[in-house]
Amino acid sequence: MEMHKIDYVIKLTGSKLFDVVMYNTAKSLCNDFPGLSFDYETTSIRIHGELNDYWFQKYNETMFEKMGGN
């Protein structure tokens, strides 16, 4: 089984509303996909980890749906 590495950074804006929404989104994403975790820093949120084939497929489907895909 192949493992797929996830590692990206979301820059925070300083807007309390936006930053709270991004924090909650990162937390929810990591709760939904075993193998992911996040680090909340002063200026960014880093989401990282590894997903097996099954969870990687589900992750991609979720990202496509949330980004307005059909």
Side-chain angles (χ1 to χ4, degrees), residues 10-65:
I10 301 167
K11 297 292 184 184
L12 299 176
T13 66
S15 163
K16 187 165 185 149
L17 176 62
F18 176 81
D19 293 349
V20 167
V21 168
M22 290 299 98
Y23 174 86
N24 288 330
T25 301
K27 184 177 178 180
S28 176
L29 187 66
C30 292
N31 287 337
D32 291 346
F33 297 97
L36 293 183
S37 58
F38 72 100
D39 302 318
Y40 185 78
E41 305 289 335
T42 306
T43 60
S44 64
I45 298 173
R46 178 178 172 236
I47 299 172
H48 55 94
E50 290 187 342
L51 301 173
N52 64 26
D53 291 333
Y54 174 81
W55 286 111
F56 187 66
Q57 178 183 349
K58 296 294 182 190
Y59 172 83
N60 282 328
E61 290 169 2
T62 299
M63 292 297 110
F64 185 71
E65 288 173 12

